[in-house]
Amino acid sequence: MAPLSIPDHQIVKHLEEYVIGQEKAKKILAVAVYNHYSRVSENLRQQQIQETLSSISHAPPPPPPPSSSSSLRKTAEGQPKPPSTIFDKSNVLLLGPTGSGKTLLARTLAKVLNVPFSMSDATPFTQAGYVGEDVEMVIHRLLQNCDYNIKKAECGIVFIDEIDKISKRPDTMSISKDVSGEGVQQALLRMLEGTVVNVTEKNGSSWNGSSGGRKGGLPGIGGPSSGGGGPGAKGEIYSVDTSNILFILSGAFIGLEKIVMDRVSKGSIGFESTVRAPSSELSSSKGAAAHVSRLLDQVDPTDLIKFGLIPEFIGRLPVVASVNHLDETALVRILTEPRNSLVKQYQGLFGMADIKIHFSQAALHAVAAQAIEKQTGARGLRRIMESLLLDVMYEAPGSSIKHIVVDKDVVQGKKPAMCFARGAEGAVTEALDRDDQAKTLSQQRQQEQQLQSGGQDEESPAAEAVSV
């Protein structure tokens, strides 16, 4: 396998076409993926050299050299070389709030790279023998994505989402066994580090019609030549080495910022001492989102252990990247800039009915403000837009409406969307300019009030130490 042909800065450029913000997470992912395939290429090259040397060692020895001078020269040249370096992989852990782009980063990465890629959810994972999915399903999905080609699967990428859902339960009295927490982490240990996983094909009856697209000569038990291709037939067994598979894990880790805050901001008692602000201010004070992002940047393995991950599991995840909360400006960019942005999608949908829809900048900022207020991140934008455009999507197709204008008052529910017939381009432009000018004047008044107040009314960031 050759090293990855796409350099890491080019990977970041591709990610920026779909993902807004999260520059640090993009850089960490790009470097991790590029370095991983450089390691895989070097390890495979060294493995081929070892196989070649072992085959030569079993061959009969060559005849002795004709002269002693050539023998001395070969002896001098044949000094023992230092042993080659073995490169270990570095798995990645992504953590951050919901709706901040963790899953989108992984999905976009799969489009950029021409390597096998599988996405799984850790929520249904249980220990072997219990109702639910075994952890080997992540390798099974990887095999499916590369048409059961074992060599390709052994150099793929596995993304596991919601990894925080398998944290072990707190030490309380419980009758039931924790089969979906610590037990799943124990099952993932060998797979993350590198081992041979035996995966059984779940659909044994697929040999009847779909076996033509698979690679022939795969090692295993059963298969098309073994007869028994009915619904109850046993599937083929595939042995996959996970040593060169890159694992990317992600989770929201709700409450982790409070654990980090307890560690980094110690309080004390007495006169002239520092008193830590209550943890409730992390969700109520001004600038709390930025402070939570700063706390997640300081995550330590001890914090993840307190959250519920076992030390052996954390030790196999050397690269930790945190994604930040999305502010109003970032959410407005998400609405308009990416290739799959919501504004472009709705413009395309209405364009199929020969209708143009227009959003003022004030309306986009109002939509972003609602998403921040509801704490749903970028995922909440589509829900807000669907609710906002329901009536016009029902009434506009098949009518005389050719232009739809959405301004700030429409987003706030003060009036319905403005609809115009053909030839009303001037009225559409006037409505958009009027709304944007009102937003500009409002921002200027707010800035003047802040300058007059001298910043005395500004709230301090959450969880900062204050003196008493």
Side-chain angles (χ1 to χ4, degrees):
M1 177 181 178
L4 198 64
S5 58
I6 306 177
D8 43 10
H9 60 272
Q10 194 71 21
I11 296 176
V12 172
K13 185 177 180 181
H14 283 291
L15 291 176
E16 287 176 349
E17 295 182 1
Y18 296 91
V19 185
I20 298 298
Q22 315 301 357
E23 304 300 331
K24 182 179 179 182
K26 291 176 187 174
K27 188 181 298 184
I28 291 176
L29 274 179
V31 172
V33 169
Y34 183 80
N35 289 343
H36 172 71
Y37 283 102
S38 298
R39 297 186 190 104
V40 170
S41 174
E42 180 62 21
N43 289 339
L44 292 179
R45 187 184 69 83
Q46 293 179 9
Q47 183 179 355
Q48 293 177 354
I49 293 176
Q50 293 296 330
E51 292 176 355
T52 304
L53 292 177
S54 62
S55 62
I56 293 176
S57 63
H58 293 294
S67 63
S68 59
S69 60
S70 61
S71 176
L72 291 174
R73 184 174 62 253
K74 287 186 177 181
T75 304
E77 294 176 355
Q79 295 295 329
K81 296 182 179 179
S84 57
T85 304
I86 302 298
F87 297 94
D88 294 330
K89 62 179 179 179
S90 298
N91 300 312
V92 183
L93 174 64
L94 286 175
L95 49 91
T98 180
S100 55
K102 301 185 298 296
T103 308
L104 182 61
L105 279 170
R107 190 183 296 118
T108 308
L109 196 63
K111 296 178 182 178
V112 175
L113 304 176
N114 188 21
V115 295
F117 192 97
S118 75
M119 295 184 64
S120 302
D121 197 314
T123 306
F125 286 165
T126 57
Q127 282 183 272
Y130 290 88
V131 176
E133 291 185 358
D134 296 339
V135 295
E136 288 80 8
M137 278 299 298
V138 300
I139 307 299
H140 183 236
R141 293 190 180 98
L142 190 65
L143 280 170
Q144 286 179 330
N145 291 343
C146 63
D147 200 18
Y148 288 84
N149 188 325
I150 296 179
K151 294 298 183 182
K152 287 185 177 180
E154 289 179 346
C155 299
I157 297 177
V158 171
F159 178 79
I160 305 178
D161 203 359
E162 306 292 345
I163 200 65
D164 55 320
K165 304 303 185 294
I166 63 170
S167 59
K168 63 180 181 180
R169 297 178 183 175
D171 297 331
T172 56
M173 296 299 295
S174 178
I175 300 176
S176 61
K177 186 179 180 182
D178 188 13
V179 298
S180 61
E182 185 177 358
V184 177
Q185 296 183 47
Q186 297 283 356
L188 284 170
L189 292 181
R190 294 285 303 278
M191 191 180 298
L192 291 174
E193 189 171 8
T195 186
V196 177
V197 178
N198 294 321
V199 179
T200 304
E201 185 193 8
K202 301 296 181 183
N203 188 9
S205 62
S206 62
W207 290 106
N208 292 332
S210 62
S211 60
R214 298 192 180 171
K215 307 298 181 185
L218 290 178
I221 303 173
S225 61
S226 62
K234 183 178 180 181
E236 186 171 357
I237 298 177
Y238 299 91
S239 297
V240 181
D241 188 2
T242 65
S243 301
N244 292 327
I245 295 178
L246 178 64
F247 286 85
I248 303 175
L249 315 182
S250 79
F253 290 90
I254 299 174
L256 181 61
E257 66 276 3
K258 297 179 182 179
I259 298 176
V260 179
M261 187 177 65
D262 292 337
R263 175 176 59 85
V264 299
S265 55
K266 301 287 186 180
S268 59
I269 61 175
F271 296 103
E272 297 184 358
S273 62
T274 56
V275 179
R276 183 169 57 86
S279 58
S280 59
E281 293 189 9
L282 283 176
S283 58
S284 61
S285 64
K286 187 179 180 180
H291 189 69
V292 169
S293 300
R294 288 196 299 269
L295 288 174
L296 291 180
D297 287 336
Q298 305 176 43
V299 167
D300 197 72
T302 56
D303 303 322
L304 296 172
I305 293 174
K306 289 182 180 179
F307 187 85
L309 300 182
I310 59 177
E312 305 94 307
F313 188 78
I314 300 170
R316 288 162 172 81
L317 300 169
V319 181
V320 178
S322 62
V323 293
N324 302 323
H325 275 278
L326 297 171
D327 56 6
E328 186 174 317
T329 304
L331 289 175
V332 171
R333 292 181 60 198
I334 290 172
L335 282 170
T336 57
E337 292 185 11
R339 295 174 60 182
N340 58 342
S341 66
L342 284 177
V343 170
K344 294 177 183 177
Q345 292 183 36
Y346 284 110
Q347 287 175 345
L349 285 175
F350 281 98
M352 296 176 187
D354 197 19
I355 300 173
K356 294 183 179 180
I357 184 169
H358 311 270
F359 296 89
S360 67
Q361 288 296 318
L364 296 177
H365 281 272
V367 171
Q370 288 188 14
I372 293 175
E373 181 182 356
K374 300 181 185 300
Q375 298 183 357
T376 53
R379 285 195 180 96
L381 295 174
R382 180 176 289 276
R383 184 190 60 80
I384 296 172
M385 295 286 280
E386 287 287 340
S387 175
L388 179 65
L389 302 175
L390 175 62
D391 292 335
V392 292
M393 285 191 292
Y394 175 75
E395 297 172 357
S399 66
S400 60
I401 298 174
K402 295 301 178 183
H403 297 276
I404 299 173
V405 175
V406 179
D407 60 6
K408 183 178 180 180
D409 291 339
V410 175
V411 176
Q412 294 177 349
K414 298 179 180 180
K415 65 178 182 180
M418 294 176 285
C419 301
F420 299 89
R422 189 185 303 274
E425 288 80 3
V428 170
T429 305
E430 182 182 354
L432 293 173
D433 293 341
R434 182 172 61 248
D435 194 40
D436 291 336
Q437 288 175 3
K439 177 180 179 297
T440 304
L441 292 175
S442 176
Q443 289 179 345
Q444 290 177 354
R445 283 195 295 266
Q446 289 180 359
Q447 292 176 358
E448 291 175 358
Q449 291 176 359
Q450 290 178 358
L451 291 175
Q452 292 175 0
S453 62
Q456 297 178 358
D457 296 334
E458 293 183 359
E459 296 183 17
S460 59
E464 283 193 357
V466 295
S467 178
V468 297

